[in-house]
Amino acid sequence: MKARMPAGFGRPDMNALMRQAQKMQEDMKAKQAELEAAEYIGSASGEMVTVKMNGKHEVLAITIKPEAVDPDDIEMLEDLVAAAVNATVKQVDETAEAEMGKLTGGMNIPGL
């Protein structure tokens, strides 16, 4: 005699999956807005140059200490500004990746 499985056994509840996906999407939108509004600070060469940026990668402020300014070596100052911007961008990206990863459970979702 064969045992019968209950109707629908082994099949996912599509309505529950859709609700779960919608909830995840809403959570991700809220987290994205939170990350975009946050401010991040990066610096170069012992905080000689500091950059403040939001989560949309918009530079809000750049602070340069007077001792970083050498009129005979403008190239070094340019390099410090670039390094500080790059450090801040990296911080924004790593924070966003970590926070969104918490929501997606490590799933690789394109566009995030």
Side-chain angles (χ1 to χ4, degrees):
M1 174 178 222
K2 277 188 156 181
R4 290 189 179 221
M5 295 292 192
F9 182 78
R11 292 186 193 158
D13 178 356
M14 292 308 288
N15 288 332
L17 286 175
M18 291 302 289
R19 284 191 301 273
Q20 186 177 5
Q22 188 175 18
K23 169 90 169 82
M24 180 186 284
Q25 187 177 26
E26 290 168 3
D27 290 348
M28 290 171 61
K29 274 187 180 180
K31 181 56 76 174
Q32 186 68 35
E34 179 185 322
L35 290 168
E36 287 178 356
E39 293 183 357
Y40 304 85
I41 297 175
S43 64
S45 189
E47 298 186 358
M48 295 289 276
V49 175
T50 305
V51 173
K52 184 192 294 186
M53 181 179 291
N54 65 22
K56 293 188 253 182
H57 296 96
E58 296 169 339
V59 175
L60 304 174
I62 297 176
T63 304
I64 301 171
K65 289 188 176 179
E67 54 269 24
V69 180
D70 180 355
D72 295 328
D73 193 3
I74 297 298
E75 189 175 306
M76 182 183 79
L77 180 57
E78 293 169 343
D79 290 344
L80 290 175
V81 170
V85 168
N86 290 336
T88 312
V89 167
K90 183 177 178 182
Q91 182 182 3
V92 169
D93 292 344
E94 287 175 350
T95 301
E97 185 177 325
E99 291 298 315
M100 295 306 267
K102 289 177 188 176
L103 290 176
T104 62
M107 290 187 297
N108 188 10
I109 300 175
L112 298 180

